[in-house]
Amino acid sequence: MLERGEVANSWRRERWDSLRLLTPNWQSRLPGYRYEGADPDGFMTMREVIEFVSGFAVAAGAPVRTHTPVTSVTQTDEGYLVATPNGDLRCRSVVLASGACNLANVPLLRHAVPASIASFTALDYRNPDQLPGGGVLIVGASATGVQLADEVCRSGRRVTLSVGEHVRLPRTYRGRDILWWMETSGVWNQRYDEIDDLTRARSLPSPQLAGTPERATLDLNTLGARGVEIVGRLSAVRDGRALFSGGLRNQFALADLKMERLLDTFDDWARSHSRDADVGPPERFEPSRVPAASRLDLDLGSGEIRSIIWATGFRPDYSWLDVPVIDRKGHLRHDGGVVDAPGLYAIGLPVLRRRKSTFIHGAEDDARDLIDHLARYLAGTPHHRVARRL
Ligand SMILES: Cc1cc2nc3c(=O)[nH]c(=O)nc-3n(C[C@H](O)[C@H](O)[C@H](O)COP(=O)(O)OP(=O)(O)OC[C@H]3O[C@@H](n4cnc5c(N)ncnc54)[C@H](O)[C@@H]3O)c2cc1C
């Protein structure tokens, strides 16, 4: 296992200071290893996640070579040549476990933003003290965007939140965590080959959820009530003005409808599995409040906004992968993690083999399936060249 930094590197280096997992402690599970603390319904801080992942690496005896960045992977007659500054490695098979969130997915219109505006992404934002004084525009209202809007607003700054397509979820439903419902009802276990529109499922925004000690819902109604200005999707930056789409009403209606449908699914599941007695009565939530008049443009030169945080998603970095397995849209070509090149595998990508694939607890089932395939692949390929030590 080659790691460019340290074990749990992304949690050590690429997350903001106040972040907690949005998955509850009881859901933090890796093969043969789980959260054993006194607060199963709580949410880990970054320090706790680093301890958890590092603890697993020790318990599993994972053969990790830290501070070993892979700079290229090329195909050879026998398999792959993996280059690192510490030496090369020849191997018959490679598993790409380099993460789904290496780069911030910032739209090209960022180039039209005046240079006077400071620009941050979720990978370089740490806390509100880092931002210049004045208003903050946060683009994107999924898990990252709503969490940062909340934090920056609480720090006393004026926040404008640009909202596009989003997934609205309450933190708890009928007395249980919403992720308890996702897991227990089987929604998160749905396999990739059972999903009608897999491309769409793989590009869905993360849900508007935050892990806080209060287990509070963090949706647009909460943020609006707290004073965050909600505007539509950032559609262009022209002549120093940010232009927002006028489609907020539709976006809100769609997100509310999808949430209602999901809650209906949970209700049906509870009824058909005789679980109604284990949970509270069905609940329905206030529809998303559409702002009376959301503004359609903002003068970025007026001094009202001094910084932008791009909370517009993440993507993997395969710049070091010199194997022709990336499609025109920059996505890895794979079937459930079996990449379109012999002996090449991937794990940890959105809906890789199941809806839960991109979460910590999703790794175990995917790994089991892929290891099965990998073992069969290795059994069927010549053994004269095995992985050589660095
Ligand atoms: C802001 C944010 C919040 C999240 N919150 C949650 C949550 O609450 N619960 C949850 O279950 N999941 C959450 N996730 C998803 C989370 O990232 C995954 O669950 C988990 O980290 C995936 O583990 P991984 O090992 O696949 O990827 P990563 O944790 O990204 O690990 C990939 C590793 O590969 C290394 N690497 C990359 N490129 C190279 C290279 N060229 N050479 C050598 N090493 C390399 C990196 O340094 C890194 O250590 C969150 C993700 C983000 C971005």
Side-chain angles (χ1 to χ4, degrees):
M1 297 183 62
L2 307 181
E3 166 56 56
R4 64 181 166 190
E6 296 163 70
V7 170
N9 205 54
S10 57
W11 302 107
R12 290 175 196 270
R13 309 260 173 262
E14 295 168 4
R15 307 285 185 260
W16 57 96
D17 298 344
S18 66
L19 180 67
R20 285 174 181 263
L21 289 188
L22 55 72
T23 40
N25 290 336
W26 57 261
Q27 209 162 35
S28 287
R29 300 190 296 263
L30 287 165
Y33 195 79
R34 57 172 59 233
Y35 172 85
E36 305 275 9
D39 185 18
D41 293 323
F43 302 91
M44 287 187 196
T45 62
M46 288 305 97
R47 191 181 50 75
E48 291 165 334
V49 180
I50 293 163
E51 276 170 18
F52 179 78
V53 177
S54 305
F56 174 70
V58 173
V64 189
R65 296 177 193 181
T66 53
H67 305 290
T68 307
V70 172
T71 52
S72 82
V73 173
T74 44
Q75 252 171 321
T76 64
D77 288 345
E78 296 88 12
Y80 297 92
L81 178 68
V82 178
T84 86
N86 304 340
D88 295 349
L89 186 79
R90 285 180 186 280
C91 46
R92 290 161 55 208
S93 182
V94 173
V95 180
L96 308 170
S98 46
C101 303
N102 311 115
L103 301 171
N105 214 359
V106 184
L108 283 175
L109 53 79
R110 72 179 182 277
H111 296 301
V113 172
S116 56
I117 306 271
S119 188
F120 298 86
T121 71
L123 295 177
D124 49 36
Y125 169 87
R126 288 292 169 271
N127 57 60
D129 294 344
Q130 193 186 7
L131 305 173
V136 183
L137 170 63
I138 298 180
V139 184
S142 294
T144 300
V146 294
Q147 290 181 33
L148 297 189
D150 188 41
E151 168 162 293
V152 176
C153 175
R154 284 173 189 269
S155 76
R157 284 155 206 270
R158 201 182 141 70
V159 174
T160 305
L161 179 64
S162 165
V163 178
E165 185 191 2
H166 57 278
V167 177
R168 181 183 177 199
L169 286 183
R171 180 70 261 181
T172 55
Y173 181 59
R174 301 179 66 176
R176 299 284 190 148
D177 195 279
I178 195 73
L179 300 186
W180 177 88
W181 287 97
M182 294 289 255
E183 176 162 321
T184 320
S185 69
V187 169
W188 252 3
N189 252 340
Q190 193 183 13
R191 284 178 55 96
Y192 76 113
D193 44 11
E194 293 166 353
I195 296 175
D196 289 339
D197 189 347
L198 184 58
T199 308
R200 170 141 178 79
R202 285 182 170 158
S203 64
L204 270 183
S206 58
Q208 289 173 337
L209 273 183
T212 60
E214 302 78 33
R215 302 175 73 206
T217 293
L218 182 60
D219 59 14
L220 297 175
N221 287 352
T222 320
L223 290 173
R226 223 163 260 160
V228 171
E229 180 188 4
I230 311 281
V231 296
R233 186 172 187 277
L234 179 62
S235 54
V237 177
R238 206 170 295 140
D239 302 328
R241 301 183 82 82
L243 308 182
F244 304 110
S245 132
L248 262 187
R249 188 174 294 279
N250 287 345
Q251 296 284 11
F252 280 27
L254 197 64
D256 286 356
L257 181 74
K258 287 188 177 162
M259 179 178 74
E260 297 276 330
R261 277 197 199 141
L262 185 66
L263 301 182
D264 286 345
T265 309
F266 293 157
D267 291 342
D268 290 346
W269 171 85
R271 200 174 312 114
S272 59
H273 289 75
S274 310
R275 298 295 295 264
D276 274 331
D278 303 341
V279 293
E283 295 173 80
R284 282 303 173 263
F285 299 91
E286 185 196 353
S288 301
R289 270 176 250 135
V290 185
S294 75
R295 59 173 150 170
L296 298 177
D297 72 340
L298 193 160
D299 182 357
L300 295 173
S302 68
E304 180 187 341
I305 295 293
R306 302 293 303 281
S307 46
I308 296 186
I309 304 178
W310 300 99
T312 35
F314 303 93
R315 61 191 162 89
D317 177 13
Y318 294 124
S319 55
W320 43 271
L321 182 62
D322 299 317
V323 184
V325 287
I326 308 294
D327 69 17
R328 276 184 299 118
K329 292 193 168 162
H331 298 141
L332 188 70
R333 277 201 317 274
H334 70 92
D335 179 8
V338 180
V339 181
D340 193 11
L344 196 58
Y345 296 85
I347 192 163
L349 301 178
V351 200
L352 184 94
R353 297 187 68 81
R354 292 167 179 83
R355 284 201 187 270
K356 65 183 177 185
S357 289
T358 197
F359 293 91
I360 293 170
H361 70 287
E364 179 167 5
D365 287 348
D366 285 5
R368 197 170 291 121
D369 291 352
L370 287 175
I371 288 165
D372 188 46
H373 193 288
L374 172 56
R376 279 185 281 124
Y377 173 78
L378 290 178
T381 53
H383 280 260
H384 63 273
R385 202 98 189 208
V386 289
R388 220 170 53 190
R389 295 189 70 82
L390 284 178

